[in-house]
Every structure is written in structure tokens, then in C-alpha cells.
Amino acid sequence: TADSAAQDTFADTDGAITDSGAISAALLTTSSAEGTTLDFGHTVTSFNATNTTSGGVSLTNTAAPLTITGISSGGGNITVTNTGALGTPGGAINAGAGSITLSTGGANQDIGILDDAGLTGTSLSVTSGAMTTGSALTFGGPVTLNSSGAITVTSAVTATGAALSAT
């Protein structure tokens, strides 16, 4: 558990990282071998995670907005839930053979530009307010974009199953 800080870094190169209290930081960086699960309801404005073997990466956060500076998981899925908006990812999100799930906390909580150049995984699921796709989104599995606002598709979305829903 970390208190308020400009930057917090957690590393467990042999095991998993889990939380037992809220983390508040401008930048949170994690490095694990068997997964990172941070589901306590943190307040970080930028997040970067590397996981090398199994377990995936999961973050539950409350900042508005949250900027993902990069997430890589060598084994397991990537899930980011933020009650505020998600800014345009500033780094690649690579789930390898896993899936990517991104969600924001409501109708007015938008997500920045989704860009295939920075998203890799077997499937992609995004739930937020308004969203915009950048370059083409291509996934071997389903791509699901659920929006309470507008979905602006600027390039092709290619997937085994694609669903776009704007309410």
C-alpha cells in the first residue's frame, strides 16, 4: 500500500502484485511475473504495468482522467476500470494471447482515441461515453465498443465478431 506520492513503483519479479489499500499517485508503475491485481479503488493519473508470465493485469481506479502509459502482459488478460475518463493511451496496450477490457464510469466519461498500432490481444471490449477510433482496429476475436455517447470510427474495424452500440 502506498500513500500519496508523485510516483510509486512496485516490483515482484518472481510473483504477483496485489493491493490491501488505496494508492494515490501521479504515476503508478508495476512489474510482475505472475500478475498484477489492483482492485482497491485507487487514484492514479498515469499507469504503466509489465507482467511477464501469467495472471494478467487489472486496475480499478478513480482518477479523471487516467492515462495509460503502457501495459504489457505476457500471460493473461488486461482489464482497466476507471470511474473517470480514460485519456488517449500514451503507450501500447499488449495482452498477447489475452483480451483487453477498458471501461469508464458513466455517460460523460469519455475515452481518448483507440489506435490499433497500440492495442494487441485476442479481443477488445470498451465501454465508455464518447469514443473515437484512430487507425484500423484488427483483432482475431471479437471487438465490442459500447458507448453512451457517439462512436466515431475513422478507419476499418476488423474482427471475428464486431459490435458497435451507441445509446
Side-chain angles (χ1 to χ4, degrees), residues 3-164:
D3 296 325
S4 293
Q7 180 174 338
D8 281 323
T9 302
F10 298 100
D12 188 338
T13 57
D14 295 327
I17 297 172
T18 60
D19 57 8
S20 61
I23 299 168
S24 179
L27 171 63
L28 174 62
T29 302
T30 67
S31 178
S32 61
E34 296 178 356
T36 296
T37 303
L38 302 173
D39 57 5
F40 204 84
H42 306 289
T43 306
V44 298
T45 53
S46 294
F47 180 63
N48 186 290
T50 301
N51 181 57
T52 56
T53 59
S54 64
V57 175
S58 177
L59 173 69
T60 302
N61 195 58
T62 63
L66 168 66
T67 298
I68 297 170
T69 60
I71 301 175
S72 175
S73 181
N77 301 326
I78 294 172
T79 303
V80 176
T81 303
N82 194 55
T83 57
L86 282 173
T88 300
I93 302 173
N94 184 345
S99 64
I100 300 171
T101 303
L102 306 174
S103 61
T104 63
N108 296 319
Q109 303 304 324
D110 299 342
I111 192 165
I113 296 172
L114 298 172
D115 190 338
D116 185 42
L119 298 171
T120 306
T122 56
S123 66
L124 172 67
S125 176
V126 180
T127 303
S128 75
M131 70 182 77
T132 301
T133 64
S135 65
L137 294 175
T138 304
F139 282 81
V143 170
T144 305
L145 305 177
N146 296 311
S147 176
S148 58
I151 299 174
T152 304
V153 178
T154 59
S155 296
V157 175
T158 305
T160 301
L164 307 178

